[in-house]
Amino acid sequence: MPAAFAHVWRWFASLSAGRRPGGLGPAPLGWAEIAAWSRLVGVTPTPNDIAVLRDIDAAYLENAYAELDKGKRRK
């Protein structure tokens, strides 16, 4: 993670801690969750910050679902 986006990584960790479960694993961070979090913690992410945040979330979900899939294949 480039140092310029270290704050976005911290934001992701904060948001992800409150993540709702999905039907078959973790749910993606939605626009409403990001907006509510932003208001609650008093930060105003730039559009670029949000794009990076969503990219991190997509990578997180890809990895999480891959791990879930591995667990299913082991059974």
Side-chain angles (χ1 to χ4, degrees), residues 39-55:
R39 284 190 305 276
L40 286 169
V41 299
V43 299
T44 305
T46 67
N48 197 38
D49 289 335
I50 293 173
V52 172
L53 182 63
R54 300 212 12 116
D55 286 347

Side-chain angles (χ1 to χ4, degrees), residues 19-44:
R19 183 186 300 271
R20 293 178 181 211
L24 301 173
L29 297 174
W31 295 109
E33 287 87 4
I34 294 170
W37 170 86
S38 175
R39 284 190 305 276
L40 286 169
V41 299
V43 299
T44 305

Side-chain angles (χ1 to χ4, degrees), residues 58-71:
Y60 167 81
L61 291 172
E62 183 178 327
N63 185 63
Y65 284 115
E67 289 298 316
L68 287 170
D69 189 44
K70 282 182 196 175

Side-chain angles (χ1 to χ4, degrees), residues 8-21 26-29 33 37 41 53 57 60:
V8 180
W9 179 252
R10 289 189 304 273
W11 294 350
F12 172 75
S14 176
L15 272 160
S16 194
R19 183 186 300 271
R20 293 178 181 211
L29 297 174
E33 287 87 4
W37 170 86
V41 299
L53 182 63
D57 190 47
Y60 167 81

